[in-house]
Amino acid sequence: MSSSSLPSSQKQVHLLKRPGRAPLSTEILNVVTAPLPDVSNLASGHVFLKTHFLSLDPSMRPSMDPSKKSYRPPAPLNETFWAGGVGTVIKSNHPEYKEGELVLSSAFGAQEYADMDVAATQRNGFFYKIDPAKGIEPREYLGGLWGTGLAAYLGMKEIAKVKKGDRVLVSGAAGATGGLAIQIARQLGASYIVGVAGGPGKAKYVVEELGADECIDYREANFEKQIASLSDRPEGGMDVYFDNVGGQTLDAALLAMNPNGRIACCGAISGYGGSYEGLKNSFVIVARRLTLQGYIAIGTFWPQDVYQAAIAQLATWLAEKKIATRFHFYEKVGVENFLDALKALFEGKNWGKMLLQVDPEWKGEGSKSAAK
Ligand SMILES: NC(=O)c1ccc[n+]([C@@H]2O[C@H](COP(=O)([O-])OP(=O)(O)OC[C@H]3O[C@@H](n4cnc5c(N)ncnc54)[C@H](OP(=O)(O)O)[C@@H]3O)[C@@H](O)[C@H]2O)c1
């Protein structure tokens, strides 16, 4: 697409109200039509991009509300809601980016087009070219090579320090991060892996496709007992717990741990829409000398060499097909479906990494257009 064939306006999704504990609705997050900026006067160092698809992330929910104490700054009201994505440069006033190049950025926002200051975006997040010659699909840049893959890798390798023979428990196991965490734990030598996921279909998928040895369905009434009793096995309990969920699942997982067990606290999705539940079994942390450590995958929290090694290892495993991201493009195309796609993520409708195709003309692998 050339800049001369651009429309005069675009759809954006704005945060209109802080949700508190209210369910997400169009009163909170809704579509507005806004004029397209004048790209003939693009500021120096800026690029103008067409959004192809966006990542849907659980951390979007707590970022809507300062009271949720998210690791992201609260999203501003009446502005385009944040979202990472993949898109094409339509117009550039930056020496390193040319029209037609595909880029990944954490700063697309939930909109059809984005005017982006490259240096500012790189300081606060991600902006880089997707090189088709590397043979990695563009969508993988929002999966295995993005916050999802990094969260799974850094949590297993650097925080929980998984080693050969470890017995590993993973919650949110059928999701994007959990699914990769299982595969990465196996690559690091875990001998027995137990997933926790919602529903019998997902539990089967976690075992048969992601390679866990068993999976507990947390929608079953006695799921906490099932998790806690993992430590009663003759072969011992769990050495590592990769926690995506928090709340009751974390509380039960404490009882499943072996002495000196390591817990990587990656997320607490069970509390994102309501309240974070307290722990009843916290004394087990003392009694079994457990280590719990939280961490954030994206940002300046990691030494550059650790970060670069993580990206290199993920890229190698992906290219060698030792790990794979399962993608879930939301059923409908268009940024106006952003709210419904986010709601679907919290209802557990996604199997793997949830993406929303924004551009109906995008024909890349996995897109709705490619599937036709
Ligand atoms: N620390 C970091 O840097 C970092 C980076 C990325 C992600 N994360 C965290 O990792 C977790 C997973 O994120 P993701 O992007 O990979 O999402 P995801 O797991 O692909 O999708 C969310 C899944 O969470 C499950 N879920 C929803 N509500 C739940 C509840 N109340 N209790 C238990 N499970 C629930 C659903 O699966 P079921 O059908 O199984 O319920 C849903 O499919 C989140 O907590 C996120 O904040 C952290």
Side-chain angles (χ1 to χ4, degrees), residues 244-278:
N244 277 318
V245 165
Q248 289 170 286
T249 306
L250 171 59
D251 207 26
L254 291 176
L255 298 173
M257 301 304 291
N258 284 331
N260 299 315
R262 292 96 67 199
I263 301 182
C265 298
C266 177
I269 194 170
S270 66
Y272 290 174
S275 56
Y276 300 113
E277 282 188 34

Side-chain angles (χ1 to χ4, degrees), residues 63-127:
S63 78
M64 291 177 196
D65 234 310
S67 69
K68 300 303 292 185
K69 312 211 182 316
S70 170
Y71 49 82
R72 289 193 68 96
L77 290 174
N78 301 312
E79 286 183 22
T80 306
F81 191 69
W82 68 272
V86 166
T88 293
V89 178
I90 303 237
K91 177 111 180 143
S92 175
N93 193 3
H94 189 290
E96 289 168 30
Y97 295 90
K98 294 192 200 61
E99 287 166 30
E101 284 179 337
L102 206 56
V103 300
L104 163 80
S105 173
S106 51
F108 269 89
Q111 57 187 344
E112 294 170 306
Y113 296 90
D115 176 349
M116 228 178 273
D117 178 339
V118 174
T121 306
Q122 285 171 334
R123 267 195 307 279
N124 302 316
F126 269 76
F127 187 100

Side-chain angles (χ1 to χ4, degrees), residues 136-217:
I136 296 176
E137 291 174 21
R139 60 183 178 164
E140 199 61 79
Y141 286 80
L142 288 179
L145 292 176
W146 166 260
T148 305
L150 284 167
Y153 180 86
L154 293 168
M156 283 299 184
K157 170 88 177 150
E158 301 294 335
I159 304 288
K161 302 192 188 317
V162 172
K163 57 183 187 322
K164 198 161 182 273
D166 274 343
R167 297 167 61 78
V168 175
L169 177 67
V170 179
S171 61
T177 310
L180 281 167
I182 289 173
Q183 299 170 67
I184 289 167
R186 192 67 86 194
Q187 289 303 315
L188 294 173
S191 62
Y192 199 82
I193 303 176
V194 182
V196 181
K202 280 197 176 177
K204 190 165 181 273
Y205 158 70
V206 166
V207 172
E208 291 180 1
E209 291 187 45
L210 298 176
D213 296 286
E214 63 182 281
C215 187
I216 294 168
D217 173 2

Side-chain angles (χ1 to χ4, degrees), residues 6 13 41 57 67 85 92 173 221 237 240 301 308 328 335:
L6 286 171
V13 177
N41 280 320
D57 295 292
S67 69
S92 175
V240 165
F301 310 100
Q308 291 312 323
H328 185 128
V335 77

Side-chain angles (χ1 to χ4, degrees), residues 326-367:
R326 173 161 173 166
F327 291 93
H328 185 128
F329 272 90
Y330 184 65
E331 287 60 34
K332 293 182 187 159
V333 174
V335 77
E336 63 278 16
N337 298 298
F338 188 84
L339 170 64
D340 287 342
L342 191 56
K343 281 173 24 188
L345 182 78
F346 280 94
E347 288 159 10
K349 300 249 168 78
N350 62 310
W351 294 43
K353 177 74 202 152
M354 181 77 116
L355 300 174
L356 173 66
Q357 187 181 338
V358 169
D359 172 9
E361 287 159 18
W362 165 250
K363 301 238 182 317
E365 198 160 349
S367 67

